[in-house]
Short mmCIF file of all heavy atoms in Angstrom, two decimals:
data_model
loop_
_atom_site.label_atom_id
_atom_site.label_comp_id
_atom_site.label_asym_id
_atom_site.label_seq_id
_atom_site.Cartn_x
_atom_site.Cartn_y
_atom_site.Cartn_z
N SER K 15 0.82 -1.21 0.00
CA SER K 15 0.00 0.00 0.00
C SER K 15 0.85 1.26 0.00
O SER K 15 1.94 1.29 0.57
CB SER K 15 -0.94 0.02 1.22
OG SER K 15 -0.19 0.02 2.43
N VAL K 16 0.35 2.29 -0.66
CA VAL K 16 0.92 3.63 -0.60
C VAL K 16 -0.22 4.60 -0.30
O VAL K 16 -1.18 4.70 -1.06
CB VAL K 16 1.60 4.04 -1.93
CG1 VAL K 16 2.17 5.45 -1.82
CG2 VAL K 16 2.69 3.05 -2.32
N HIS K 17 -0.11 5.28 0.82
CA HIS K 17 -1.14 6.23 1.24
C HIS K 17 -0.55 7.64 1.26
O HIS K 17 0.49 7.87 1.88
CB HIS K 17 -1.64 5.86 2.64
CG HIS K 17 -2.40 4.58 2.68
ND1 HIS K 17 -2.58 3.83 3.83
CD2 HIS K 17 -3.03 3.89 1.70
CE1 HIS K 17 -3.29 2.76 3.55
NE2 HIS K 17 -3.57 2.76 2.26
N LEU K 18 -1.21 8.57 0.57
CA LEU K 18 -0.71 9.93 0.44
C LEU K 18 -1.79 10.93 0.85
O LEU K 18 -2.92 10.86 0.36
CB LEU K 18 -0.27 10.24 -1.00
CG LEU K 18 0.71 9.25 -1.66
CD1 LEU K 18 -0.06 8.26 -2.54
CD2 LEU K 18 1.72 9.99 -2.52
N GLU K 19 -1.44 11.84 1.73
CA GLU K 19 -2.34 12.91 2.16
C GLU K 19 -1.57 14.23 2.05
O GLU K 19 -0.59 14.46 2.76
CB GLU K 19 -2.78 12.68 3.61
CG GLU K 19 -3.68 13.75 4.19
CD GLU K 19 -4.05 13.48 5.64
OE1 GLU K 19 -3.75 12.38 6.15
OE2 GLU K 19 -4.63 14.37 6.29
N TYR K 20 -2.04 15.10 1.13
CA TYR K 20 -1.38 16.38 0.89
C TYR K 20 -2.41 17.49 0.82
O TYR K 20 -3.56 17.27 0.44
CB TYR K 20 -0.60 16.35 -0.43
CG TYR K 20 0.76 15.68 -0.35
CD1 TYR K 20 0.94 14.40 -0.85
CD2 TYR K 20 1.85 16.35 0.19
CE1 TYR K 20 2.19 13.79 -0.80
CE2 TYR K 20 3.10 15.75 0.24
CZ TYR K 20 3.27 14.47 -0.25
OH TYR K 20 4.51 13.88 -0.20
N PHE K 21 -1.96 18.69 1.17
CA PHE K 21 -2.80 19.87 0.98
C PHE K 21 -3.09 20.06 -0.50
O PHE K 21 -4.22 20.36 -0.88
CB PHE K 21 -2.09 21.09 1.57
CG PHE K 21 -2.91 22.35 1.60
CD1 PHE K 21 -4.15 22.39 2.22
CD2 PHE K 21 -2.43 23.53 1.03
CE1 PHE K 21 -4.90 23.57 2.26
CE2 PHE K 21 -3.16 24.70 1.06
CZ PHE K 21 -4.40 24.72 1.68
N ASN K 22 -2.09 19.85 -1.34
CA ASN K 22 -2.34 19.89 -2.77
C ASN K 22 -1.28 19.13 -3.56
O ASN K 22 -0.14 18.99 -3.12
CB ASN K 22 -2.46 21.34 -3.30
CG ASN K 22 -1.20 22.17 -3.13
OD1 ASN K 22 -0.15 21.84 -3.67
ND2 ASN K 22 -1.30 23.26 -2.39
N PHE K 23 -1.70 18.62 -4.69
CA PHE K 23 -0.83 18.10 -5.74
C PHE K 23 -0.88 19.11 -6.88
O PHE K 23 -1.91 19.22 -7.57
CB PHE K 23 -1.29 16.74 -6.26
CG PHE K 23 -1.32 15.64 -5.25
CD1 PHE K 23 -2.46 15.41 -4.47
CD2 PHE K 23 -0.22 14.81 -5.07
CE1 PHE K 23 -2.49 14.38 -3.55
CE2 PHE K 23 -0.25 13.77 -4.15
CZ PHE K 23 -1.39 13.56 -3.39
N ARG K 24 0.16 19.86 -7.09
CA ARG K 24 0.16 20.83 -8.18
C ARG K 24 0.30 20.10 -9.51
O ARG K 24 1.11 19.20 -9.66
CB ARG K 24 1.31 21.82 -7.99
CG ARG K 24 1.24 23.06 -8.87
CD ARG K 24 2.23 24.08 -8.37
NE ARG K 24 2.25 25.31 -9.17
CZ ARG K 24 3.11 25.55 -10.13
NH1 ARG K 24 4.04 24.65 -10.43
NH2 ARG K 24 3.06 26.68 -10.80
N ASN K 25 -0.49 20.48 -10.49
CA ASN K 25 -0.47 19.82 -11.79
C ASN K 25 0.75 20.25 -12.59
O ASN K 25 0.68 21.09 -13.47
CB ASN K 25 -1.77 20.13 -12.55
CG ASN K 25 -1.79 19.48 -13.92
OD1 ASN K 25 -1.30 18.37 -14.11
ND2 ASN K 25 -2.35 20.20 -14.88
N ASP K 26 1.90 19.67 -12.25
CA ASP K 26 3.15 20.01 -12.92
C ASP K 26 3.99 18.75 -13.11
O ASP K 26 3.49 17.63 -12.93
CB ASP K 26 3.91 21.11 -12.17
CG ASP K 26 4.22 20.73 -10.72
OD1 ASP K 26 4.20 19.53 -10.39
OD2 ASP K 26 4.52 21.64 -9.91
N SER K 27 5.25 18.91 -13.44
CA SER K 27 6.06 17.76 -13.85
C SER K 27 6.32 16.78 -12.70
O SER K 27 6.27 15.57 -12.91
CB SER K 27 7.39 18.24 -14.44
OG SER K 27 8.17 18.94 -13.49
N ILE K 28 6.58 17.26 -11.48
CA ILE K 28 6.88 16.35 -10.38
C ILE K 28 5.64 15.55 -9.99
O ILE K 28 5.73 14.35 -9.68
CB ILE K 28 7.46 17.11 -9.15
CG1 ILE K 28 8.16 16.13 -8.20
CG2 ILE K 28 6.40 17.91 -8.42
CD1 ILE K 28 9.46 15.59 -8.70
N ALA K 29 4.47 16.19 -10.04
CA ALA K 29 3.23 15.47 -9.77
C ALA K 29 2.97 14.44 -10.86
O ALA K 29 2.50 13.33 -10.59
CB ALA K 29 2.06 16.44 -9.65
N GLY K 30 3.27 14.81 -12.12
CA GLY K 30 3.11 13.87 -13.23
C GLY K 30 3.98 12.63 -13.04
O GLY K 30 3.53 11.50 -13.24
N LEU K 31 5.24 12.84 -12.65
CA LEU K 31 6.14 11.72 -12.40
C LEU K 31 5.63 10.86 -11.25
O LEU K 31 5.70 9.63 -11.29
CB LEU K 31 7.54 12.24 -12.09
CG LEU K 31 8.30 12.88 -13.25
CD1 LEU K 31 9.60 13.53 -12.74
CD2 LEU K 31 8.63 11.84 -14.33
N LEU K 32 5.12 11.51 -10.21
CA LEU K 32 4.61 10.77 -9.06
C LEU K 32 3.42 9.91 -9.43
O LEU K 32 3.37 8.71 -9.10
CB LEU K 32 4.22 11.76 -7.94
CG LEU K 32 3.55 11.14 -6.71
CD1 LEU K 32 4.46 10.15 -6.01
CD2 LEU K 32 3.09 12.24 -5.74
N PHE K 33 2.44 10.48 -10.14
CA PHE K 33 1.26 9.71 -10.50
C PHE K 33 1.57 8.61 -11.52
O PHE K 33 0.92 7.56 -11.51
CB PHE K 33 0.15 10.64 -11.00
CG PHE K 33 -0.54 11.39 -9.90
CD1 PHE K 33 -0.51 12.78 -9.85
CD2 PHE K 33 -1.22 10.71 -8.91
CE1 PHE K 33 -1.15 13.47 -8.82
CE2 PHE K 33 -1.86 11.39 -7.87
CZ PHE K 33 -1.82 12.78 -7.83
N ASP K 34 2.56 8.82 -12.38
CA ASP K 34 2.99 7.75 -13.28
C ASP K 34 3.57 6.58 -12.49
O ASP K 34 3.28 5.41 -12.77
CB ASP K 34 4.04 8.28 -14.27
CG ASP K 34 3.45 9.15 -15.36
OD1 ASP K 34 2.21 9.16 -15.53
OD2 ASP K 34 4.24 9.86 -16.05
N LEU K 35 4.39 6.89 -11.50
CA LEU K 35 4.97 5.85 -10.65
C LEU K 35 3.90 5.14 -9.84
O LEU K 35 3.91 3.90 -9.72
CB LEU K 35 6.02 6.48 -9.71
CG LEU K 35 6.69 5.54 -8.70
CD1 LEU K 35 7.37 4.38 -9.39
CD2 LEU K 35 7.68 6.33 -7.84
N LEU K 36 2.95 5.88 -9.32
CA LEU K 36 1.86 5.28 -8.55
C LEU K 36 1.00 4.38 -9.43
O LEU K 36 0.51 3.34 -8.97
CB LEU K 36 1.01 6.38 -7.90
CG LEU K 36 1.70 7.20 -6.80
CD1 LEU K 36 0.82 8.37 -6.38
CD2 LEU K 36 2.03 6.33 -5.59
N ALA K 37 0.81 4.78 -10.69
CA ALA K 37 0.04 3.94 -11.63
C ALA K 37 0.75 2.61 -11.86
O ALA K 37 0.10 1.56 -11.93
CB ALA K 37 -0.15 4.69 -12.94
N GLU K 38 2.09 2.65 -11.99
CA GLU K 38 2.85 1.41 -12.13
C GLU K 38 2.67 0.50 -10.92
O GLU K 38 2.49 -0.72 -11.06
CB GLU K 38 4.34 1.74 -12.29
CG GLU K 38 4.73 2.36 -13.62
CD GLU K 38 6.21 2.67 -13.69
OE1 GLU K 38 6.97 2.05 -12.91
OE2 GLU K 38 6.61 3.53 -14.51
N LYS K 39 2.71 1.08 -9.74
CA LYS K 39 2.54 0.28 -8.53
C LYS K 39 1.13 -0.29 -8.44
O LYS K 39 0.93 -1.43 -8.00
CB LYS K 39 2.85 1.12 -7.29
CG LYS K 39 4.27 1.68 -7.23
CD LYS K 39 5.35 0.62 -7.44
CE LYS K 39 5.35 -0.45 -6.35
NZ LYS K 39 6.49 -1.37 -6.51
N ALA K 40 0.14 0.48 -8.87
CA ALA K 40 -1.24 0.00 -8.86
C ALA K 40 -1.39 -1.21 -9.78
O ALA K 40 -2.10 -2.17 -9.45
CB ALA K 40 -2.19 1.12 -9.27
N LYS K 41 -0.73 -1.18 -10.95
CA LYS K 41 -0.76 -2.31 -11.87
C LYS K 41 -0.14 -3.56 -11.25
O LYS K 41 -0.50 -4.69 -11.58
CB LYS K 41 -0.04 -1.95 -13.17
CG LYS K 41 -0.79 -0.95 -14.05
CD LYS K 41 0.01 -0.62 -15.29
CE LYS K 41 -0.71 0.43 -16.13
NZ LYS K 41 0.10 0.83 -17.33
N GLN K 42 0.82 -3.36 -10.34
CA GLN K 42 1.48 -4.47 -9.65
C GLN K 42 0.65 -5.01 -8.49
O GLN K 42 1.06 -5.97 -7.82
CB GLN K 42 2.84 -4.02 -9.14
CG GLN K 42 3.83 -3.64 -10.24
CD GLN K 42 5.08 -2.95 -9.69
OE1 GLN K 42 5.34 -2.99 -8.48
NE2 GLN K 42 5.85 -2.32 -10.57
N GLY K 43 -0.51 -4.41 -8.24
CA GLY K 43 -1.38 -4.88 -7.17
C GLY K 43 -1.27 -4.11 -5.87
O GLY K 43 -1.90 -4.47 -4.87
N VAL K 44 -0.45 -3.06 -5.86
CA VAL K 44 -0.31 -2.22 -4.66
C VAL K 44 -1.53 -1.31 -4.56
O VAL K 44 -1.93 -0.69 -5.55
CB VAL K 44 0.97 -1.38 -4.73
CG1 VAL K 44 1.06 -0.42 -3.54
CG2 VAL K 44 2.20 -2.28 -4.77
N LYS K 45 -2.14 -1.23 -3.38
CA LYS K 45 -3.27 -0.33 -3.15
C LYS K 45 -2.75 1.09 -2.97
O LYS K 45 -1.99 1.37 -2.04
CB LYS K 45 -4.07 -0.76 -1.93
CG LYS K 45 -4.78 -2.10 -2.07
CD LYS K 45 -5.86 -2.05 -3.14
CE LYS K 45 -6.99 -1.11 -2.77
NZ LYS K 45 -8.10 -1.14 -3.80
N VAL K 46 -3.16 1.95 -3.88
CA VAL K 46 -2.72 3.34 -3.84
C VAL K 46 -3.92 4.23 -3.53
O VAL K 46 -4.91 4.22 -4.25
CB VAL K 46 -2.07 3.77 -5.17
CG1 VAL K 46 -1.61 5.23 -5.06
CG2 VAL K 46 -0.89 2.87 -5.52
N ARG K 47 -3.80 4.99 -2.43
CA ARG K 47 -4.87 5.89 -2.01
C ARG K 47 -4.28 7.28 -1.83
O ARG K 47 -3.29 7.45 -1.12
CB ARG K 47 -5.50 5.39 -0.71
CG ARG K 47 -6.11 3.99 -0.81
CD ARG K 47 -6.69 3.53 0.53
NE ARG K 47 -7.37 2.24 0.40
CZ ARG K 47 -6.81 1.08 0.70
NH1 ARG K 47 -5.54 1.05 1.16
NH2 ARG K 47 -7.49 -0.05 0.56
N ALA K 48 -4.89 8.27 -2.46
CA ALA K 48 -4.39 9.64 -2.40
C ALA K 48 -5.52 10.59 -2.01
O ALA K 48 -6.65 10.46 -2.48
CB ALA K 48 -3.80 10.05 -3.75
N LEU K 49 -5.18 11.54 -1.15
CA LEU K 49 -6.16 12.50 -0.65
C LEU K 49 -5.57 13.90 -0.76
O LEU K 49 -4.41 14.12 -0.45
CB LEU K 49 -6.48 12.17 0.82
CG LEU K 49 -7.63 12.92 1.49
CD1 LEU K 49 -8.96 12.45 0.92
CD2 LEU K 49 -7.60 12.66 3.00
N TYR K 50 -6.38 14.84 -1.23
CA TYR K 50 -5.94 16.23 -1.30
C TYR K 50 -7.06 17.14 -0.82
O TYR K 50 -8.24 16.77 -0.83
CB TYR K 50 -5.50 16.61 -2.71
CG TYR K 50 -6.60 16.59 -3.75
CD1 TYR K 50 -7.31 17.74 -4.08
CD2 TYR K 50 -6.94 15.40 -4.40
CE1 TYR K 50 -8.32 17.72 -5.02
CE2 TYR K 50 -7.95 15.36 -5.35
CZ TYR K 50 -8.64 16.53 -5.65
OH TYR K 50 -9.65 16.49 -6.59
N ASP K 51 -6.69 18.33 -0.40
CA ASP K 51 -7.67 19.29 0.13
C ASP K 51 -8.29 20.12 -0.99
O ASP K 51 -7.57 20.59 -1.89
CB ASP K 51 -7.00 20.21 1.15
CG ASP K 51 -7.97 21.17 1.79
OD1 ASP K 51 -8.68 20.76 2.74
OD2 ASP K 51 -8.05 22.32 1.34
N GLY K 52 -9.59 20.32 -0.93
CA GLY K 52 -10.29 21.05 -1.98
C GLY K 52 -9.82 22.49 -2.11
O GLY K 52 -9.59 22.99 -3.22
N PHE K 53 -9.66 23.17 -0.99
CA PHE K 53 -9.18 24.55 -1.03
C PHE K 53 -7.72 24.61 -1.45
O PHE K 53 -7.32 25.49 -2.22
CB PHE K 53 -9.36 25.22 0.33
CG PHE K 53 -8.91 26.65 0.38
CD1 PHE K 53 -9.71 27.66 -0.13
CD2 PHE K 53 -7.67 26.98 0.92
CE1 PHE K 53 -9.29 28.97 -0.10
CE2 PHE K 53 -7.25 28.31 0.95
CZ PHE K 53 -8.06 29.30 0.44
N GLY K 54 -6.92 23.67 -0.95
CA GLY K 54 -5.51 23.61 -1.34
C GLY K 54 -5.35 23.43 -2.84
O GLY K 54 -4.45 24.01 -3.47
N ASN K 55 -6.22 22.65 -3.42
CA ASN K 55 -6.17 22.41 -4.87
C ASN K 55 -6.60 23.65 -5.65
O ASN K 55 -5.92 24.09 -6.57
CB ASN K 55 -7.04 21.22 -5.24
CG ASN K 55 -6.95 20.88 -6.73
OD1 ASN K 55 -5.88 20.59 -7.25
ND2 ASN K 55 -8.09 20.90 -7.41
N SER K 56 -7.73 24.22 -5.28
CA SER K 56 -8.28 25.34 -6.05
C SER K 56 -7.46 26.61 -5.87
O SER K 56 -7.52 27.51 -6.72
CB SER K 56 -9.73 25.60 -5.63
OG SER K 56 -9.83 25.93 -4.28
N SER K 57 -6.71 26.72 -4.78
CA SER K 57 -5.96 27.94 -4.52
C SER K 57 -4.58 27.96 -5.16
O SER K 57 -3.90 28.98 -5.16
CB SER K 57 -5.81 28.17 -3.01
OG SER K 57 -5.07 27.09 -2.41
N ASN K 58 -4.12 26.81 -5.69
CA ASN K 58 -2.83 26.85 -6.37
C ASN K 58 -3.05 27.14 -7.85
O ASN K 58 -4.11 26.88 -8.40
CB ASN K 58 -2.03 25.56 -6.11
CG ASN K 58 -2.31 24.43 -7.04
OD1 ASN K 58 -1.92 24.45 -8.20
ND2 ASN K 58 -2.98 23.40 -6.52
#
């Protein structure tokens, strides 16, 4: 499992790399759960 809780994931290159890696782990059967804050997202 990989559990992530952040105020925000900014839609940029580092977030893209992170979600690509998480997608690979999900394909391997790893449970990936991510949580972000609504205000944190809309304010960036």
Side-chain angles (χ1 to χ4, degrees):
S15 61
V16 180
H17 292 159
L18 308 98
E19 178 182 351
Y20 279 103
F21 188 55
N22 62 61
F23 298 89
R24 193 167 179 263
N25 179 36
D26 57 20
S27 63
I28 198 72
L31 291 172
L32 175 62
F33 284 118
D34 286 346
L35 177 58
L36 292 172
E38 289 179 21
K39 300 309 296 186
K41 289 178 183 177
Q42 296 169 14
V44 175
K45 294 295 295 184
V46 181
R47 300 179 175 97
L49 189 71
Y50 65 94
D51 184 81
F53 180 79
N55 184 59
S56 61
S57 62
N58 86 73

